[in-house]
Structure formats: C-alpha cells, structure tokens
Amino acid sequence: MIALNQDAPGKQATCQFKKQELRVYVKELEDGAHAVGFCNFGLEPIDMPFSDFQQLGLKGKLKVRDLWRQKDITKLDPGRINFP
C-alpha cells in the first residue's frame, strides 16, 4: 500500500463513482496501469457490486489484485463479461 501511495509521479486518486456509502477511487500509476480502490464509508458491511469499468476509464483485460493480502484474485475482460 505504501508503494502504491508513493508511486513516482505522485498523482492523487480521484473519486470516479459514488453510490450511497460506496466510493470508487482510481489512480494512474507511473507505468500506465491504474489502481482502483473500493471503499465503504459506512459503519455496516455492504455488497460492492460494480461492473462499469469503462466509466472508470479502464478498458481491455484487467488484473484484480488484493493489495492487503498481496494476492492476485482474477483477471477480467469487461468487454466480454455480461454482469447482472
């Protein structure tokens, strides 16, 4: 998390999506990749269904990684996935 925060260009993440207590932040990294943070600002756990990656400016194949666990989760191709 610290390396992500201290990425060389020092660009700030910006909120690209907001619905009730859910916020989605996107930050462009030095290598052109993007970091996306899904944040629950409420006191209760919530489902975080999200499928509109193009709204975030993300296209093509995406690698999903849990930074807290330092573990790759999955790969997505939003153009080929039909989310409910």
Side-chain angles (χ1 to χ4, degrees), residues 2-18:
I2 292 172
L4 180 65
N5 184 49
Q6 295 177 349
D7 187 58
K11 293 182 180 180
Q12 295 293 322
T14 58
C15 184
Q16 299 292 317
F17 178 84
K18 178 168 60 170

Side-chain angles (χ1 to χ4, degrees), residues 45-76:
I46 62 171
D47 289 331
M48 294 189 184
F50 189 83
S51 60
D52 195 358
F53 293 97
Q54 290 183 346
Q55 177 182 339
L56 303 178
L58 305 176
K59 299 174 185 165
K61 295 181 181 178
L62 307 173
K63 179 173 78 170
V64 180
R65 182 170 177 80
D66 183 330
L67 294 180
W68 291 114
R69 294 184 180 118
Q70 299 180 352
K71 181 175 164 182
D72 289 343
I73 305 249
T74 190
K75 293 184 180 179
L76 301 175

